[in-house]
Amino acid sequence: MDSSSSARRRINSIHSHLVTSSRSSPLLRSNPTAGEFCLDNGYSVVLPEKLSTGDWNVHRLSARSPFKLVGRFPDHPDIATLHDNFEHAVHDFRDYKYLGTRVRVDGTVGDYKWMTYGETSTARTAIGSGLVHHGITMGSTVGIYFINRPEWLIVDHACAAYSYVSVPLYDTLGPDAVQFIVNHANVQAIFCVAETLNSLLSGLSEMPSVRLVVVVGGLNESLPSLPASAGVKVVSYSMLLNQGRSNPQPFVPPKPDDVATICYTSGTTGTPKGVVLTHTNLISNVAGSSFSVKFFSSDIYISYLPLAHIYERANQILTVYFGVAVGFYQGDNMKLLDDIAALRPTVFSSVPRLYNRIYDGITNAVKSSGGLKERLFNAAYNAKKQALLNGKSASPIWDRLVFNKIKDKLGGRVRFMTSGASPLSPEVMEFMKICFGGRVLEGYGMTETACVISGMDEGDNLIGHVGSPNPACEIKLVDVPEMNYTSADQPHPRGEICVRGPIVFRGYYKDEVQTREVVDADGWLHTGDIGLWLPGGRLQIIDRKKNIFKLAQGEYIAPEKIENVYAKCKFVGQCFIYGDSFNSSLVAVVSVDPDVLKSWAASHGIKHGDLRELCNNPKVKAAILSDMETVGREAKLRGFEFAKAVTLVLEPFTLENGLLTPTLKIKRPQAKEYFAEAITNMYKDLAASDPTANKAL
């Protein structure tokens, strides 16, 4: 279906309905006589899924690759693997700076010091040779257990060069996640830092596959020596480098369809799931993205988003392709702005929660300044907004008077910003475009598609959407009748977003059942997100198919699991957990057990007129929230799964008030609407009590 000939047959079947645009770019536009085909502004083209059916429901990026899905970089079709990509960069940018850090060997912080692409290549070869020297065989899995730093990418490049499979390890998935991932993926070598070494060694007996532990930043003489019976060697990173230099080994280049990495995502109802991504998956995705995202070897990128997540991994593949310099943060989010000031990046990728913080900080400062400063900012903002809407450049006086000071907060040189992981509100998107002046791109993607599914096109000034399809995939919307979403909806077709193409993952590692649940027989990945097509073929995300949602920091939440835990709390009759991708905390609405509440109040000497008054008592709320936390800890809820605020109600959730289904499950959209005021007030209270709690970096 994705072959060139099949796609061309579909295009040829509508050829008589199309004429070529007179513009210089090869856009397709609709012939006025075409009744069933409509392409408004050329952001994507609609094709029939199959010639045998009349359903025109598949969108591709029309202007970039209408006949064939992208699988390689158009200017470098020889790049088929991550190894090829890095070799290309070493050849073209050998003496250009690549990896920079402010952190010295002794832990102090200074100016950024850089390794070139050539120097990184030498280190990559030494690390790979060192792994071979220790008997780690081709195809083995290698764990990387530390936050962003140059060695992370060096190890990843070594894995690509010697046909190892990299497996990011991180403990935010839960206390036992690292051990589970190591065992599930049969990890044989683990790169860690001194701070995590002891916890790793204490669990080694439960991780029988591990044969080698490499400590980054540790001194070899201070490392523990394990008994030979343990079957595990512990060496420093510097020793492994020396061993590799002394025993150089030839590359073992991977094939395009070989597995490059297994990325574990937070399982919403159980253990983490291993997303198997091949070299083809990753190269196809980034090659497709390169059509609209152009970097230069003069660009500087700051790396602080977790490399364990696909968003940052894909960014790093793209920076290598273009020969970009990558500076790493110190590892402390509270010092990120200091690192930005020192690095002065030109490319800045982030997530909505940080952009929200920037937005809140600037708008609050403007309001508090009052008088002339506030009027000047508003005048500058409105003038620049009007210019953008008209496709013109605003007067440079506004930058000199107002916006250059704001740009300095991100170093003063940022020309390109991206946002991903969760939706960026239209107000904040507009604000960033106006205040920082460069291009601001919002995209949509997931680990299972090796990152980008769609992204905003350059020159598209409409906000509130996630753009057109990545040229490496095609998208269709599938009817979800139980939620009243169909392709026949007016004015915009709606349905579950499904994706197909070379970016779609191979499957969940050792889990064929869950793989078949999300990838159908025709190769379509069912994302679980509900979308609609805006005019011109832009995609907008509007809902989730399942009762699963994502918080602002990117963590998935299964609310029913949490509600079942809190149901064990003595005060709780029923519980409704709410969260969304604009907030980083959960809140709860609890229908209290009136008898328990009255008894507790009496035993604590709390006087009240009626139970409603008791429900509004701050001491009562605090006590119930504390009890819920105790129950949550006993059930080993993860930190982001705890409700941070609670509203107490006397009215039970029933069929009669529309909050329950006939099978006594909570109707979530109705509950959200029913308790909308309470939800809004809880988030306001959280923001007031701790402004950083709900928008924390």
Side-chain angles (χ1 to χ4, degrees):
M1 179 62 191
D2 294 326
S3 68
S4 176
S5 60
S6 177
R8 191 172 293 277
R9 283 200 304 275
R10 288 194 281 162
I11 289 287
N12 289 340
S13 73
I14 60 171
H15 187 70
S16 61
H17 295 300
L18 297 174
V19 293
T20 304
S21 171
S22 59
R23 297 180 226 169
S24 58
S25 59
L27 290 174
L28 298 175
R29 61 181 173 87
S30 59
N31 187 307
T33 64
E36 70 274 67
F37 180 81
C38 177
L39 176 62
D40 293 327
N41 295 317
Y43 292 106
S44 63
V45 64
V46 189
L47 301 174
E49 182 177 355
K50 297 178 180 178
L51 289 176
S52 58
T53 69
D55 296 332
W56 292 62
N57 60 345
V58 175
H59 281 243
R60 284 188 177 186
L61 188 57
S62 60
R64 306 283 160 73
S65 186
F67 293 107
K68 184 179 180 180
L69 295 180
V70 169
R72 304 280 179 90
F73 293 100
D75 295 336
H76 292 278
D78 54 314
I79 296 176
T81 67
L82 299 183
H83 175 60
D84 295 338
N85 191 42
F86 187 60
E87 285 293 280
H88 145 76
V90 173
H91 179 271
D92 286 8
F93 312 111
R94 173 173 290 276
D95 296 322
Y96 289 61
K97 60 185 182 182
Y98 175 30
L99 303 179
T101 181
R102 301 182 70 193
V103 181
R104 304 286 175 263
V105 175
D106 61 3
T108 60
V109 175
D111 294 332
Y112 273 91
K113 300 295 183 183
W114 296 90
M115 294 178 68
T116 66
Y117 274 88
E119 291 166 342
T120 305
S121 171
T122 301
R124 171 272 315 254
T125 303
I127 290 298
S129 297
L131 291 173
V132 174
H133 173 71
H134 280 277
I136 307 300
T137 57
M138 169 183 172
S140 296
T141 47
V142 175
I144 307 176
Y145 188 23
F146 47 84
I147 61 173
N148 304 27
R149 55 188 293 166
E151 292 85 354
W152 209 111
L153 293 180
I154 293 170
V155 172
D156 201 39
H157 290 316
C159 288
Y162 290 87
S163 287
Y164 297 126
V165 178
S166 63
V167 181
L169 302 173
Y170 56 117
D171 43 24
T172 58
L173 293 179
D176 303 319
V178 170
Q179 184 174 308
F180 171 84
I181 293 171
V182 168
N183 290 332
H184 190 256
N186 199 40
V187 172
Q188 297 199 27
I190 298 177
F191 287 78
C192 70
V193 288
E195 292 79 7
T196 56
L197 177 62
N198 288 336
S199 63
L200 192 62
L201 293 179
S202 65
L204 268 184
S205 61
E206 304 297 324
M207 297 180 282
S209 63
V210 178
R211 299 171 52 195
L212 177 68
V213 174
V214 183
V215 184
V216 176
L219 299 175
N220 212 67
E221 55 270 19
S222 63
L223 298 179
S225 56
L226 302 181
S229 58
V232 180
K233 293 181 180 178
V234 180
V235 300
S236 68
Y237 179 85
S238 57
M239 174 174 277
L240 188 69
L241 272 174
N242 291 331
Q243 291 172 336
R245 292 184 185 120
S246 301
N247 300 277
Q249 301 293 325
F251 293 145
V252 186
K255 298 180 178 62
D257 288 333
D258 286 347
V259 177
T261 187
I262 304 176
C263 294
Y264 281 80
T265 63
S266 50
T268 52
T269 56
T271 54
K273 296 180 293 187
V275 177
V276 179
L277 295 173
T278 66
H279 289 269
T280 291
N281 292 148
L282 292 162
I283 292 296
S284 297
N285 193 298
V286 175
S289 300
S290 72
F291 276 76
S292 60
V293 177
K294 303 292 184 184
F295 295 157
F296 304 97
S297 56
S298 57
D299 275 321
I300 299 174
Y301 176 92
I302 185 161
S303 178
Y304 71 96
L305 295 172
L307 273 163
H309 295 172
I310 196 63
Y311 182 14
E312 181 69 0
R313 291 286 291 281
N315 284 344
Q316 292 300 335
I317 298 168
L318 196 62
T319 58
V320 166
Y321 178 73
F322 286 110
V324 174
V326 177
F328 291 87
Y329 81 135
Q330 297 176 49
D332 183 350
N333 287 333
M334 299 304 293
K335 298 177 181 177
L336 177 60
L337 290 180
D338 293 338
D339 297 331
I340 290 172
L343 185 64
R344 301 187 67 216
T346 61
V347 178
F348 186 74
S349 288
S350 194
V351 292
R353 68 183 182 275
L354 178 57
Y355 290 132
N356 291 341
R357 278 186 63 192
I358 294 172
Y359 172 82
D360 291 340
I362 294 171
T363 54
N364 289 336
V366 168
K367 289 176 184 176
S368 62
S369 66
L372 179 60
K373 288 185 177 180
E374 185 175 9
R375 290 197 298 273
L376 179 62
F377 178 87
N378 290 335
Y381 189 91
N382 291 330
K384 204 166 182 181
K385 177 180 177 179
Q386 200 59 44
L388 283 173
L389 290 174
N390 294 329
K392 299 178 181 179
S393 297
S395 169
I397 189 67
W398 300 121
D399 282 342
R400 289 199 295 269
L401 289 176
V402 176
F403 297 116
N404 284 344
K405 297 172 185 176
I406 294 175
K407 292 177 184 178
D408 287 342
K409 293 183 179 295
L410 293 181
R413 297 195 302 187
V414 173
R415 66 169 188 86
F416 188 91
M417 307 170 81
T418 70
S419 180
S422 59
L424 185 65
S425 71
E427 296 81 10
V428 176
M429 164 67 83
E430 176 188 89
F431 186 87
M432 302 306 291
K433 291 175 76 170
I434 291 172
C435 291
F436 289 92
R439 184 180 171 196
V440 183
L441 182 150
E442 182 174 13
Y444 162 63
M446 57 196 303
T447 308
E448 287 85 346
T449 59
C451 199
V452 179
I453 294 172
S454 69
M456 297 176 68
D457 293 85
E458 188 168 10
D460 183 4
N461 289 323
L462 184 70
I463 57 178
H465 63 91
V466 291
S468 57
N470 183 331
C473 74
E474 52 189 358
I475 301 173
K476 70 173 181 178
L477 302 183
V478 174
D479 292 352
V480 186
E482 65 271 23
M483 298 180 73
N484 297 317
Y485 294 127
T486 75
S487 57
D489 290 345
Q490 294 296 329
H492 308 300
R494 303 186 299 177
E496 182 184 8
I497 300 167
C498 295
V499 185
R500 183 169 65 179
I503 68 174
V504 174
F505 75 137
R506 179 173 289 181
Y508 295 116
Y509 191 54
K510 298 179 182 177
D511 197 337
E512 189 63 30
V513 172
Q514 288 204 68
T515 300
R516 285 198 301 266
E517 287 179 0
V518 297
V519 181
D520 65 26
D522 291 325
W524 289 100
L525 170 68
H526 293 247
T527 66
D529 292 312
I530 303 295
L532 65 76
W533 289 117
L534 292 171
R538 305 170 177 99
L539 185 65
Q540 184 179 59
I541 314 298
I542 59 172
D543 205 347
R544 281 287 295 172
K545 182 179 178 182
K546 299 177 181 178
N547 292 330
I548 293 171
F549 53 82
K550 189 188 286 188
L551 292 176
Q553 67 270 43
E555 298 291 355
Y556 284 102
I557 296 294
E560 288 158 327
K561 181 189 82 169
I562 301 171
E563 287 158 359
N564 289 335
V565 168
Y566 285 150
K568 299 173 184 175
C569 172
K570 62 185 179 182
F571 296 96
V572 175
Q574 294 163 300
C575 179
F576 169 56
I577 289 291
Y578 179 80
D580 57 38
S581 51
F582 295 107
N583 292 284
S584 58
S585 302
L586 298 176
V587 294
V589 177
V590 168
S591 174
V592 295
D593 183 316
D595 294 332
V596 173
L597 185 59
K598 283 189 288 186
S599 175
W600 180 89
S603 65
H604 285 75
I606 297 178
K607 298 179 181 180
H608 56 89
D610 58 21
L611 286 179
R612 201 169 304 278
E613 180 183 328
L614 206 53
C615 287
N616 293 323
N617 188 312
K619 290 184 179 179
V620 175
K621 287 184 179 182
I624 292 179
L625 194 59
S626 175
D627 196 54
M628 291 167 64
E629 289 174 354
T630 300
V631 172
R633 284 194 297 270
E634 291 172 355
K636 296 185 178 179
L637 289 182
R638 293 168 286 187
F640 52 84
E641 292 178 315
F642 284 83
K644 299 301 182 184
V646 64
T647 292
L648 307 180
V649 298
L650 291 174
E651 181 184 13
F653 309 161
T654 65
L655 290 169
E656 289 71 25
N657 61 20
L659 297 179
L660 293 183
T661 68
T663 56
L664 303 183
K665 293 180 180 177
I666 294 175
K667 291 183 176 180
R668 297 196 173 275
Q670 290 85 344
K672 174 186 174 183
E673 183 177 355
Y674 196 86
F675 297 115
E677 184 178 353
I679 290 169
T680 299
N681 290 336
M682 282 189 282
Y683 280 125
K684 282 183 179 177
D685 290 343
L686 282 173
S689 62
D690 184 358
T692 65
N694 206 43
K695 303 290 183 186
L697 180 64

